Amino acid sequence: MIRRLTLSNWRAYDRLDLTFEEGVTFLVAANGVGKSSIVMAAAWGLLGEASGVDAVSSVRGDADQATVALELQLPDGKRLEIERSVTARGRTQSQVLLDGEPVTDLLAILQEEFGIDPAILGRLAFMADGSHVASGREFQLRDHLFRVFGVSALLDAARTAAQAAKEARQARELVRSIERKQAHDRSEIGRTVEGIDEQLAGLGETRSTLEELASEAASIRQAAERWADHRRAVARREARIQDLVSKAEALGEVEADEALAQLGSLEQEIQRQLGQVKEEAAGYQARGAAEEATIERLQEAGAVCPTCLRPITPEEASHAIHEHEEALVAAGERASEVRRLAGDLEARLAAVRRVLNDLRSVPGAPPEPDTPVLDLEEAELRYRRAAARLREHDQRMAELGGRRAQLLEQLRSDEEAEGAEEAQLTAYRREAVAQAAAEVLQETADRMIRERIDPLTREVAWRWKRLFGSGDLILHPDGRIRRRIGSRELEFSELSGGERIWALLVTRLLVLSVSTKVPFVWLDEPLEHLDPRVRRVVAGTLVRAASSANLRQIFVTTYEEPLAHQLAEDNSMAELITVRQGA
């Protein structure tokens, strides 16, 4: 049971430290002080996320984090200490000590110690948010009750057997469908298959001949393609030579047959002319230089005649300079004309040499193939015809093979039909055995539910009638709560608020005490919305429940201070704790 609860910055509390003993503890506080906060803190501190408590929203005000610490005494006597903290941003931390030693798998420890799934433990052992909220939620106890009372394994086996019966029924129906297939004349099908085999054998022999013809046609087509390639190569060579000859004709009198020889002669002639022109250009250049030298001497003081070397007058010198200048100009013009002629000859010589080089680089005519001259179009036609005959032959063989496979499948179906009767009997037996096993297992599970869970339901009904005097409250084996009035069965949601609170409370106490080892239950305002008589009966029930074999601690929050005081005074197992605002 829970021995101590310490809160720090949890909802309404800056700091709260409470210790608890066995029996019933009534925590009395006015509305709004934080009664629900204490139950929520205990649930979250013990179970963490499995409690369903929103811890982040429980951080008080502007605090950075909230902390909940619990000390428990487990059913085996060990001491369990848990401290959990949560920041305002949702980061959680926890530390768990078992007899002072750290442990990591707290939920597994709780499962083993209390004999109940931690998620169901949170719903049964803690009524948080007040009874007005809790009364709107029905328990989901089916899996827990079935596991505790050993029914789950039987129900699983029953489902397995029912599935086996279903599969056997499907197999039987398949056998019947095979049996209903139309019967065929097996001997006729056999003869047809033999005839197809003979045709396939003959076609197999014919195929070798057709393959040879197709291969021969392919070889002929390849030879024809080689001749076609040869013709194209020759045509390209001739076109290249013709193009070069056309260029050569533009350079001089050149004929196609003698292009190389004539271009060679033309090259030599142009070289000869170019040599003469260069010599002439050099002569004019030398003459110009001599005229310039003569003019310079005539322009000097004491000039003499360049020819007779006699002194000449300035008038004679001026006249002589004029004549030599005209001769210099004429020599320069003639030298320019000769240089232009030399440039033309050099350009023509370069063009002749390019054509010569191109002609000399043209390869010789390709050798003719060593096969007879063949026409490609004719060879292609011959090959297509041979390939088409081979394809038609293969298609015929494929059709016969497919027909043969169909007939053999018919033979196999007939063989299956012959054994259908025996297979059908086997399927019937399998279905009957599986169905019988499913029914026996289900009946056994139902009997165990009645024997082990029904007493719990009868106890709930007896307590209801004792309190309310009429109607029956039904706790179904799957944990659903209903009320029967006459022949009508009311849903849980159709009960009044007080009826729902009492039904959940009694069911909670009985299930905890009968099917678990949980020694405590924490309830938030279970007396709310009850009339005075029912409130006193429920409060007395809680006090008596704390003295049962399993439940050793019941914690109850309430604002009914007079009732709590009276119960604490009347019963030594009851304790009263009062919490004030800001405690």
Side-chain angles (χ1 to χ4, degrees):
M1 64 180 189
I2 298 175
R3 289 295 190 182
R4 185 175 183 180
L5 173 65
T6 304
L7 309 182
S8 176
N9 293 322
W10 178 270
R11 297 176 71 88
Y13 300 100
D14 289 328
R15 176 76 181 177
L16 182 66
D17 192 351
L18 299 175
T19 57
F20 309 97
E21 301 295 335
E22 294 185 11
V24 179
T25 298
F26 288 98
L27 186 141
V28 180
N31 286 331
V33 171
K35 299 186 296 296
S36 300
S37 300
I38 296 176
V39 180
M40 294 169 66
W44 184 73
L46 180 63
L47 300 170
E49 292 184 2
S51 67
V53 175
D54 182 5
V56 177
S57 65
S58 299
V59 178
R60 177 178 173 82
D62 296 331
D64 293 332
Q65 70 175 25
T67 303
V68 175
L70 283 177
E71 293 182 16
L72 293 91
Q73 180 181 348
L74 298 177
D76 63 358
K78 294 180 180 179
R79 183 166 59 94
L80 181 66
E81 299 174 77
I82 306 171
E83 182 177 298
R84 296 185 189 273
S85 62
V86 58
T87 68
R89 294 187 176 183
R91 182 180 178 183
T92 60
Q93 289 184 327
S94 61
Q95 182 181 14
V96 183
L97 301 177
L98 185 63
D99 280 347
E101 296 294 328
V103 294
T104 56
D105 196 349
L106 172 62
L107 296 183
I109 294 175
L110 298 178
Q111 173 95 33
E112 181 180 356
E113 288 290 328
F114 296 139
I116 185 173
D117 181 85
I120 301 177
L121 169 63
R123 294 197 295 270
L124 285 177
F126 296 95
M127 175 194 285
D129 295 329
S131 60
H132 64 289
V133 176
S135 64
R137 297 192 294 264
E138 192 173 0
F139 290 135
Q140 300 294 327
L141 302 175
R142 178 183 182 278
D143 293 340
H144 169 68
L145 293 176
F146 284 5
R147 180 182 60 80
V148 169
F149 293 114
V151 180
S152 296
L154 285 173
L155 292 176
D156 291 342
R159 283 192 292 270
T160 301
Q163 180 63 30
K166 179 181 178 181
E167 294 174 354
R169 183 167 58 255
Q170 293 173 345
R172 174 173 55 79
E173 292 174 352
L174 177 61
V175 169
R176 291 185 62 188
S177 66
I178 295 175
E179 188 181 26
R180 288 195 297 267
K181 286 184 177 180
Q182 182 180 4
H184 297 283
D185 187 348
R186 294 176 58 82
S187 60
E188 182 65 26
I189 294 176
R191 287 192 295 271
T192 303
V193 171
E194 291 176 359
I196 291 176
D197 289 340
E198 293 177 359
Q199 295 183 60
L200 288 173
L203 289 172
E205 296 177 356
T206 304
R207 193 179 193 285
S208 299
T209 302
L210 293 176
E211 283 183 336
E212 292 177 359
L213 293 174
S215 178
E216 180 182 354
S219 299
I220 293 173
R221 185 180 65 170
Q222 290 175 356
E225 288 176 345
R226 287 196 294 273
W227 269 106
D229 292 341
H230 171 74
R231 295 188 187 99
R232 285 191 289 270
V234 170
R236 287 195 297 271
R237 180 177 181 277
E238 292 177 352
R240 175 61 175 163
I241 292 175
Q242 185 59 43
D243 179 62
L244 293 173
V245 169
S246 299
K247 293 180 179 179
E249 291 175 347
L251 297 173
E253 297 294 331
V254 178
E255 297 180 359
D257 296 337
E258 302 292 335
L260 283 173
Q262 291 177 357
L263 283 173
S265 299
L266 181 59
E267 179 186 21
Q268 293 176 359
E269 175 61 23
I270 294 173
Q271 284 179 327
R272 185 187 64 78
Q273 293 178 6
L274 183 59
Q276 292 178 352
V277 169
K278 287 183 176 179
E279 289 178 2
E280 185 177 356
Y284 284 117
Q285 186 174 359
R287 174 187 268 178
E291 293 293 343
E292 287 179 349
T294 300
I295 292 172
E296 287 179 358
R297 288 196 299 272
L298 290 173
Q299 289 176 342
E300 294 175 354
V304 297
C305 175
T307 303
C308 63
L309 300 178
R310 68 176 179 82
I312 59 176
T313 64
E315 290 80 5
E316 291 176 334
S318 176
H319 178 73
I321 289 172
H322 177 71
E323 289 181 353
H324 283 289
E325 286 178 347
E326 289 181 352
L328 177 61
V329 171
E333 291 176 353
R334 185 56 182 163
S336 296
E337 292 177 2
V338 173
R339 282 195 295 273
R340 283 195 299 272
L341 179 58
D344 293 341
L345 288 173
E346 287 176 347
R348 187 179 179 197
L349 179 61
V352 170
R353 286 174 174 171
R354 282 195 298 272
V355 175
L356 270 174
N357 290 335
D358 290 342
L359 280 171
R360 289 167 182 159
S361 66
V362 174
E368 294 183 353
D370 54 2
T371 57
V373 179
L374 296 173
D375 182 71
L376 179 59
E377 184 176 349
E378 182 180 349
E380 182 69 29
L381 179 60
R382 181 176 179 178
Y383 171 76
R384 285 200 299 268
R385 288 174 178 172
R389 290 180 61 189
L390 184 59
R391 284 196 302 272
E392 291 174 358
H393 181 275
D394 289 345
Q395 183 176 355
R396 175 60 179 161
M397 290 187 69
E399 291 174 352
L400 288 173
R403 176 59 178 159
R404 182 178 185 276
Q406 291 177 350
L407 293 174
L408 292 177
E409 180 63 26
Q410 283 185 343
L411 289 176
R412 282 192 292 271
S413 297
D414 289 344
E415 291 173 355
E416 291 177 357
E418 288 181 354
E421 183 176 358
E422 182 179 354
Q424 188 174 13
L425 291 175
T426 302
Y428 270 119
R429 286 195 295 269
R430 180 186 172 197
E431 179 185 1
V433 170
Q435 187 62 41
E439 292 174 357
V440 169
L441 290 169
Q442 185 64 51
E443 181 180 351
T444 303
D446 293 342
R447 185 179 68 254
M448 293 182 66
I449 291 173
R450 291 192 300 271
E451 292 175 354
R452 300 185 181 187
I453 300 180
D454 281 359
L456 184 63
T457 66
R458 287 194 295 272
E459 178 69 15
V460 170
W462 178 81
R463 294 196 181 196
W464 173 274
K465 186 163 290 188
R466 181 181 176 187
L467 179 60
F468 293 101
S470 63
D472 292 325
L473 188 69
I474 304 170
L475 174 63
H476 286 280
D478 60 4
R480 293 179 297 116
I481 297 175
R482 301 291 182 268
R483 182 186 177 189
R484 182 182 294 119
I485 299 179
S487 60
R488 182 185 176 194
E489 188 171 295
L490 300 180
E491 297 289 331
F492 181 79
S493 60
E494 296 179 274
L495 303 182
S496 68
E499 291 174 335
R500 289 200 300 268
I501 293 173
W502 189 89
L504 290 173
L505 179 61
V506 173
T507 301
R508 186 189 305 270
L509 296 176
L510 289 175
V511 171
L512 282 173
S513 62
V514 172
S515 65
T516 76
K517 295 184 289 183
V518 179
F520 58 84
V521 60
W522 285 50
L523 308 171
D524 184 26
E525 296 186 348
L527 308 179
E528 187 180 5
H529 299 304
L530 300 178
D531 61 53
R533 183 182 72 86
V534 174
R535 185 180 299 124
R536 286 192 298 273
V537 172
V538 170
T541 300
L542 293 175
V543 173
R544 288 191 299 274
S547 61
S548 65
N550 286 343
L551 283 177
R552 298 165 55 195
Q553 180 186 71
I554 299 178
F555 179 85
V556 180
T557 69
T558 181
Y559 58 82
E560 297 286 345
E561 187 171 357
L563 178 60
H565 273 288
Q566 185 64 46
L567 290 170
E569 291 175 359
D570 295 342
N571 196 305
S572 60
M573 296 292 293
E575 178 186 8
L576 184 66
I577 299 176
T578 302
V579 177
R580 305 298 181 188
Q581 184 73 35

